[in-house]
Amino acid sequence: MKRALRFVECRQLPLQERISIQTLYSFTKSPILLSPPRHHHVYVALNKKIPLASIVANDEQLEAFHSIQLSQATYNDRHVFRGLLNRITYERSRETKHPITYYLQEHDTQNQDKFRVYEAAGFQYFHQTKIYRLPLIPCEKNTHRYWTLELMDYTKRAEWLVSRNTYSHTLPEAVPMTDERFAQESRQQTLFYTLKWCQQPIGFMKVRLHMYHLSIQEMHLECEAPQIREAISFLQHKFFYGFRYIDEAQISATSLQPDLTYALLQHGARVSNASSYVFTQEVPPTPIYS
């Protein structure tokens, strides 16, 4: 029987068809479908009214950085899913005069079939993120007096963003952060730090603090390996006394940060089972002939 495939963005669907996209996801992993943020687009492939594949595109960085994030990919038909990926990149390429770089984040690290679909659709492996559980301990050293941790507020965001976006490709999401995103995360109780040695900035962190949970979602240190190890020791001590009810910090680090991950392991960090991959593809603009 011939299939009647449709490739659409969820806002174009009637309410019942939009809600049916949830059947592709587990209950806790479904994207926002009824009132998605303005930069979030849930693309879906349907056979008549039955959803077969879906993926979320965040184009917040498109205007400033010519990049789009893809995430939450799922499908029941791999061929239809590849067609959906190709349709998204093609249609977007017709809307711009610049090449677009796609950053596709995948948390299902055991699904080799997905990886083959990504490769067939033109995506390449970029990096892997792992979570390291670093124990917080009182380990004061004389050299700690050279270190300071400065909390950034919204009025000081410009310098922090410049530093962060210079090294964005090494971070878990791999994409630059916009001013709008900084403001949004600030409202969600995200903390932004600059790490200084002898009053000179040498690193930054993005931290999410929960009741009994300290998550360092992004971390970068621009210094040599011995100084990175000293910085980790300072943070262990600093956070031990700053958050006495928390035993460990969960630090996300990527395969493009080998000195950082080595220093974490040297200071007793354990690697959790959770990890994710980022795949990339650069798509040139498609000329439109009149």
Side-chain angles (χ1 to χ4, degrees), residues 152-158 179-180 182-184 186:
M152 296 290 102
D153 61 28
Y154 189 73
T155 62
K156 301 177 181 178
R157 67 192 183 282
D179 192 85
E180 180 180 347
F182 187 100
Q184 177 186 350
S186 295

Side-chain angles (χ1 to χ4, degrees), residues 13 26 74 140 205 227:
L13 294 173
S26 64
T74 186
E140 187 171 9
M205 296 189 301
Q227 206 170 13

Side-chain angles (χ1 to χ4, degrees), residues 9-286:
E9 202 274 331
C10 77
R11 291 176 175 87
Q12 302 171 5
L13 294 173
L15 180 61
Q16 286 302 115
E17 289 187 34
R18 190 186 304 190
I19 293 175
S20 71
I21 299 172
Q22 293 178 338
T23 61
L24 293 170
Y25 295 91
S26 64
F27 179 74
T28 58
K29 295 182 178 180
S30 176
I32 299 174
L33 297 170
L34 297 183
S35 298
R38 66 189 182 94
H39 290 296
H40 286 213
H41 306 273
V42 182
Y43 291 99
V44 60
L46 304 100
N47 177 24
K48 298 182 179 178
K49 295 185 179 182
I50 301 173
L52 299 178
S54 176
I55 194 167
V56 178
N58 179 356
D59 62 7
E60 181 183 346
Q61 296 88 4
L62 181 59
E63 182 176 347
F65 302 105
H66 309 305
S67 63
I68 293 177
Q69 279 182 289
L70 299 175
S71 63
Q72 295 179 271
T74 186
Y75 57 89
N76 290 335
D77 187 311
R78 65 193 309 274
H79 301 290
V80 172
F81 176 57
R82 179 182 172 184
L84 178 63
L85 289 174
N86 291 337
R87 176 65 67 90
I88 292 170
T89 56
Y90 172 72
E91 293 295 341
R92 286 289 191 162
S93 72
R94 291 165 53 87
E95 301 170 358
T96 180
K97 297 179 180 179
H98 305 280
I100 298 176
T101 302
Y102 290 86
Y103 295 90
L104 195 163
Q105 191 168 55
E106 181 53 65
H107 292 274
D108 190 358
T109 57
Q110 302 302 314
N111 193 332
Q112 295 298 317
D113 186 64
K114 263 188 181 179
F115 300 161
R116 286 190 288 269
V117 174
Y118 295 154
E119 183 179 0
F123 288 86
Q124 295 181 327
Y125 167 81
F126 188 65
H127 69 43
Q128 180 182 18
T129 297
K130 293 183 178 181
I131 297 176
Y132 296 80
R133 298 179 178 274
L134 179 72
L136 304 182
I137 56 177
C139 54
E140 187 171 9
K141 299 179 180 179
N142 289 333
T143 54
H144 287 174
R145 68 179 184 271
Y146 301 119
W147 295 87
T148 54
L149 192 61
E150 182 177 343
L151 181 63
M152 296 290 102
D153 61 28
Y154 189 73
T155 62
K156 301 177 181 178
R157 67 192 183 282
E159 183 178 349
W160 191 93
L161 282 171
V162 169
S163 177
R164 189 262 181 208
N165 288 341
T166 300
Y167 303 100
S168 61
H169 63 283
T170 69
L171 302 175
E173 290 190 354
V175 296
M177 180 182 290
T178 61
D179 192 85
E180 180 180 347
R181 176 74 178 276
F182 187 100
Q184 177 186 350
E185 297 220 20
S186 295
R187 291 191 293 269
Q188 296 172 347
Q189 308 304 313
T190 299
L191 306 176
F192 302 91
Y193 289 99
T194 295
L195 188 63
K196 295 183 176 181
W197 182 78
C198 294
Q199 299 305 310
Q200 297 298 314
I202 64 167
F204 59 82
M205 296 189 301
K206 180 165 77 81
V207 179
R208 182 67 64 87
L209 181 64
H210 302 279
M211 182 65 70
Y212 299 105
H213 178 68
L214 177 65
S215 174
I216 301 178
Q217 299 174 334
E218 295 180 353
M219 183 177 185
H220 176 81
L221 297 168
E222 189 59 21
C223 52
E224 298 297 323
Q227 206 170 13
I228 292 178
R229 292 195 293 272
E230 193 66 43
I232 298 301
S233 172
F234 166 74
L235 291 173
Q236 283 182 295
H237 179 78
K238 181 77 172 178
F239 286 142
F240 176 84
Y241 287 104
F243 307 105
R244 287 182 174 272
Y245 53 89
I246 297 178
D247 296 328
E248 64 180 18
Q250 295 188 14
I251 302 176
S252 298
T254 74
S255 53
L256 298 182
Q257 299 175 299
D259 289 340
L260 174 58
T261 56
Y262 179 75
L264 291 171
L265 294 173
Q266 288 289 298
H267 283 274
R270 297 174 290 108
V271 185
S272 72
N273 293 327
S275 66
S276 62
Y277 291 108
V278 169
F279 299 84
T280 64
Q281 179 180 186
E282 184 176 90
V283 180
T286 297

